[in-house]
């Protein structure tokens, strides 16, 4: 085990060195707050406590800081690993600034919605533990947004081959895993489960309706609909309910309406397109396909044996040397006969008188 630690450390430092300033800064903050937790109760001071988030206390800074607060080493590893995965997979598509905006939107929304849900739970149960005994902190909220973003950009990627699991199923699988951990008692609080759920929801809302990119705003494609996060048997019912909620939000001017666009200037017939039907990840998928094709061609070239230039030159010289030799030797003078002429001999014809 000890001999693998230097190799793992070398790969980790190399991967971290290739990331942007945003990824390095977030990772550094996570590590520093973890070191600070040895001396200070950082989940209390920097995590979201529902009773302190809303008036009269109004600890609004916890909405920004709770996503970087960790108490355990494995939490730090998961947090830094998630941020680095975003730097490798999402930042090349979005850019460093957009990644920072996504990080802020998901964490603030997850902390706010989780705190508000615990406040409503207190109103229903009058249990003060839901106000002052809950600490929402850690990577769970941002992890929910990240898996949703990965489903949008590379959902067809296979994570496991046996059984076959694609990346588009990861949001539901992670939610199921957290629920099982909570039911088994390995998680001492429901805060990570709530933060993950609201992080995934806020990440989907932002990517679906508000994210700006070169093709406009949002992603209204069918493969990224809200019903696609559920099993196929439940998708019709969920799609109907989501459509009703979306219509209500459109009337409240919270979300925009899906509008058809007509391109009458096209050289062919009239084309109809929907905003987001050509998703932003189309170019990424083309690049991945081109990269896979190049790697396959490279493997084929490496496996095939090509003759070297020196062998070709030797073969050419042998061919030229062979072509320059005559089929029959030249006749000799003075009655001497070369050894080659012993193959075919000619006798002198008798002289006529």
């Amino acid at each position: 085990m000890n001999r693998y630690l230097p190799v793992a450390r070398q790969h980790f430092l190399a991967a971290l060195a290739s990331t942007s300033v945003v990824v390095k800064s977030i990772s550094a903050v996570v590590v520093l707050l973890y070191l600070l937790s040895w001396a200070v109760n950082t989940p209390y001071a920097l995590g979201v406590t529902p009773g302190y988030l809303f008036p009269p206390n109004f600890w609004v800074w916890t909405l920004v800081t709770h996503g970087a607060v960790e108490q355990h080493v494995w939490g730090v590893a998961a947090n830094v690993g998630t941020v680095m995965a975003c730097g490798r997979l999402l930042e090349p598509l979005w850019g460093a600034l957009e990644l920072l905006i996504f990080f802020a939107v998901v964490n603030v929304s997850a902390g706010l919605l989780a705190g508000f849900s615990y406040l409503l739970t207190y109103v229903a149960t009058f249990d003060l533990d839901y106000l002052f005994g809950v600490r929402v902190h850690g990577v769970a909220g941002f992890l929910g947004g990240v898996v949703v973003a990965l489903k949008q950009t590379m959902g067809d990627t296979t994570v496991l081959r046996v059984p076959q699991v694609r990346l588009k199923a990861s949001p539901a699988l992670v939610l199921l895993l957290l629920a099982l951990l909570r039911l088994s008692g390995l998680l001492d609080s429901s805060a990570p489960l709530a933060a993950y759920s609201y992080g995934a929801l806020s990440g989907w809302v932002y990517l679906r309706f508000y994210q700006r990119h070169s093709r406009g705003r949002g992603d209204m494609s069918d493969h990224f609909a809200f019903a696609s996060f559920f099993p196929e048997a439940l998708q019709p019912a969920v799609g109907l309910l989501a459509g009703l909620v979306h219509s209500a939000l459109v009337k409240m001017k919270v979300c925009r309406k899906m509008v058809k666009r007509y391109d009458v200037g096209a050289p062919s017939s009239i084309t109809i397109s929907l905003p987001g039907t050509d998703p932003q990840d189309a170019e990424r998928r083309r690049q991945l396909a081109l990269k896979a094709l190049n790697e396959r061609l490279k493997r084929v070239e490496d496996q095939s044996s090509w003759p070297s230039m020196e062998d070709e030159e030797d073969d050419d010289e042998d061919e030229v040397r062979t072509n320059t030799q005559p089929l029959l030797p030249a006749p000799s003078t003075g009655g001497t006969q070369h050894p080659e002429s012993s193959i075919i001999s000619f006798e002198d014809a008798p002289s006529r008188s």
Side-chain angles (χ1 to χ4, degrees):
M1 182 65 181
N2 293 331
R3 62 179 180 178
Y4 294 110
L5 292 178
V7 179
R9 178 176 177 272
Q10 183 179 0
H11 285 288
F12 173 77
L13 294 177
L16 185 61
S18 61
T19 57
S20 65
V21 179
V22 173
V23 176
K24 294 177 182 177
S25 300
I26 297 175
S27 302
V29 170
V30 172
V31 175
L32 289 177
L33 291 182
Y34 169 69
L35 297 177
L36 185 63
S37 66
W38 295 353
V40 182
N41 189 2
T42 53
Y44 172 79
L46 301 177
V48 172
T49 303
Y52 297 137
L53 178 61
F54 301 102
N57 298 291
F58 215 60
W59 289 10
V60 291
W61 66 85
T62 58
L63 295 175
V64 181
T65 58
H66 75 93
V69 176
E70 298 289 351
Q71 281 187 305
H72 306 285
V73 177
W74 55 85
V76 175
N79 205 324
V80 174
T82 303
V83 175
M84 290 181 61
C86 291
R88 297 292 297 273
L89 301 176
L90 298 179
E91 189 177 6
L93 298 175
W94 297 350
L97 180 59
E98 180 61 30
L99 179 61
L100 182 61
I101 294 175
F102 182 73
F103 178 82
V105 168
V106 170
N107 278 298
V108 171
S109 301
L112 182 62
L113 292 174
F116 186 71
S117 65
Y118 280 111
L119 178 62
L120 294 180
T121 306
Y122 164 74
V123 173
T125 61
F126 293 99
D127 189 353
L128 289 177
D129 289 338
Y130 290 110
L131 286 182
F132 302 102
V134 175
R135 303 286 186 269
V136 180
H137 64 89
V139 71
F142 185 57
L143 179 62
V146 169
V147 294
V148 169
L150 293 179
K151 169 185 165 56
Q152 179 199 28
T153 56
M154 47 192 308
D156 295 331
T157 304
T158 301
V159 180
L160 295 176
R161 296 189 179 274
V162 180
Q164 188 175 13
V165 177
R166 297 186 182 275
L167 195 57
K168 61 183 179 182
S170 58
L173 292 179
V174 176
L175 180 63
L176 179 62
L177 177 61
L178 290 176
L180 292 177
L181 291 177
R182 175 56 181 164
L183 292 176
S184 62
L186 296 178
L187 288 179
D188 55 355
S189 173
S190 61
L193 183 61
Y196 173 84
S197 302
Y198 289 120
L201 178 62
S202 59
W204 176 80
V205 171
Y206 175 75
L207 296 175
R208 180 76 168 176
F209 301 104
Y210 299 106
Q211 186 188 39
R212 293 183 179 272
H213 46 78
S214 59
R215 293 179 178 85
R217 177 184 291 184
D219 182 4
M220 304 300 295
S221 56
D222 293 335
H223 81 279
F224 196 55
F226 184 75
S228 64
F229 290 86
F230 294 84
E232 294 183 359
L234 300 177
Q235 287 184 7
V238 174
L240 179 61
L241 180 61
L244 295 177
V245 174
H246 179 260
S247 300
L249 293 177
V250 168
K251 292 182 180 180
M252 297 170 58
K253 296 183 179 181
V254 177
C255 298
R256 61 187 178 89
K257 186 178 180 180
M258 185 183 299
V259 182
K260 293 183 178 180
R261 297 182 300 179
Y262 298 87
D263 186 8
V264 296
S268 59
S269 59
I270 297 177
T271 58
I272 301 175
S273 61
L274 296 176
T277 53
D278 185 14
Q280 190 181 8
D281 60 320
E283 182 64 25
R284 173 178 174 81
R285 292 183 178 180
R286 285 193 291 266
Q287 293 178 0
L288 291 176
L290 182 60
K291 181 180 179 181
L293 180 60
N294 292 332
E295 292 178 353
R296 185 174 300 176
L297 292 176
K298 185 178 180 181
R299 287 196 299 266
V300 172
E301 292 177 357
D302 294 339
Q303 293 175 359
S304 60
S305 59
W306 294 92
S308 61
M309 295 299 295
E310 296 180 357
D311 295 339
E312 293 180 356
E313 293 178 356
D314 294 341
D315 294 340
D316 294 340
E317 291 178 358
D318 294 340
E319 183 179 358
V320 171
R321 190 181 300 112
T322 304
N323 293 333
T324 55
Q325 293 180 357
L327 295 177
L328 293 176
S332 59
T333 58
T336 60
Q337 187 177 8
H338 293 282
E340 292 84 351
S341 62
S342 63
I343 301 175
I344 302 177
S345 61
F346 297 91
E347 295 182 355
D348 296 337
S351 61
R352 294 181 182 180
S353 58

